[in-house]
Amino acid sequence: LVACAGIATFSAMDVLMKGLSIDIGAYNAVLWRTGAGALVSGLLYVAARPAMPDAPTMRIHAWRALFVAGMAITFFWALARLPMAEAIALAFVAPLMTLYMAAIFLGEKIGPRSIAASMLGLVGVVVIVAGKLGQGQYEAEALLAVGAVFLSAIFYAYNLILARRQAKMAEPMEIAFYQNLFVTLFLGLGAPWFAVPPGSAHAPHIVGAAILATISLLLLSWAYARAEAQILATTEYTGFLWAMLFGWIF
């Protein structure tokens, strides 16, 4: 239930990020959101007077952030070019990949219910893509966006595996702060060429997205510390309900 709440919060963040990605581009949307997220989560984290993470924990913070950065850029670039529900539905190959990655990297035994749930999601992805291609509804850029979603899904699937490991090594607030910090630092390497300061009209959306993303990360980190990745990966499918609702409303 906590993981489902995290997915709902993340889907609400997608609404703000879709608008920002259209207005200022995916790179700038993610850069400024994670920068704001580092400030928000950093204030809460420092207030708790935490001990400095050891080297192995810091390495997994940085390693996961690298995949999160790639996942976010590719997904939000695609989200600016596809309907919200469609982009999230296409990303549902990620839970399927997570199941088998969990078996390989975490040694989890995959249950038949988890396999059945993931296969239903995969069938849904095939139906959506086949239907659109059959009707000729994808333009060249939209097809690139579909490819970007699938690439993002690969990054996201491995990110969920790392989330399970990370949640056993660090508290949720520590994870939220260092993920935002490292993603900002990684993306900041391209700032001299790609960064554009956002306008004042974008500030509320950036701060709102940062707060929603941080809340989602806290909820999911708490959940992944307490249940196997193969169980929680299938909660990703609840995101489609929120994507349809938010896509319709906003």
Side-chain angles (χ1 to χ4, degrees):
L1 289 173
V2 171
C4 287
I7 299 301
T9 311
F10 201 73
S11 298
M13 183 269 294
D14 286 342
V15 175
L16 296 175
M17 288 298 290
K18 180 177 173 72
L20 288 169
S21 297
I22 291 171
D23 291 344
I24 62 176
Y27 170 83
N28 282 286
V30 179
L31 174 66
W32 298 116
R33 187 209 77 189
T34 54
L39 289 174
V40 171
S41 58
L43 290 173
L44 297 173
Y45 179 59
V46 172
R49 299 179 180 273
M52 190 70 178
D54 57 23
T57 305
M58 195 65 85
R59 277 196 298 270
I60 198 168
H61 287 327
W63 186 237
R64 185 185 176 198
L66 186 63
F67 283 89
V68 169
M71 171 197 81
I73 291 292
T74 50
F75 181 74
F76 291 120
W77 183 86
L79 190 60
R81 291 158 177 81
L82 293 171
M84 186 170 163
E86 194 169 303
I88 290 180
L90 292 171
F92 282 164
V93 295
L96 176 66
M97 290 185 285
T98 301
L99 284 182
Y100 300 102
M101 286 185 181
I104 295 170
F105 295 111
L106 300 176
E108 294 182 5
K109 293 183 179 180
I110 306 173
R113 289 183 180 180
S114 296
I115 294 175
S118 65
M119 292 307 295
L120 284 172
L122 180 61
V123 170
V125 171
V126 172
V127 168
I128 289 171
V129 176
K132 291 286 186 178
L133 290 176
Q135 298 170 19
Q137 292 185 8
Y138 278 139
E139 298 176 357
E141 191 176 54
L143 282 174
L144 285 175
V146 171
V149 171
F150 286 140
L151 179 59
S152 175
I154 295 172
F155 291 147
Y156 190 58
Y158 188 57
N159 153 72
L160 293 180
I161 298 302
L162 293 175
R164 173 69 170 160
R165 287 181 176 173
Q166 188 184 33
K168 293 181 176 181
M169 300 169 69
E171 293 298 317
M173 187 55 69
E174 178 184 319
I175 293 170
F177 169 62
Y178 282 107
Q179 179 167 305
N180 279 302
L181 177 64
F182 278 120
V183 171
T184 304
L185 292 176
F186 289 144
L187 294 180
L189 296 175
W193 298 276
F194 304 115
V196 176
S200 58
H202 296 127
H205 289 179
I206 290 171
V207 173
I211 292 172
L212 289 170
T214 299
I215 292 172
S216 175
L217 190 53
L218 291 172
L219 293 171
L220 290 170
S221 297
W222 186 92
Y224 271 86
R226 289 160 176 80
E228 291 185 335
Q230 64 160 312
I231 300 298
L232 297 181
T234 52
T235 65
E236 297 287 332
Y237 294 129
T238 62
F240 188 61
L241 301 174
W242 297 109
M244 286 192 299
L245 178 63
F246 295 149
W248 174 64
I249 293 173
F250 297 105

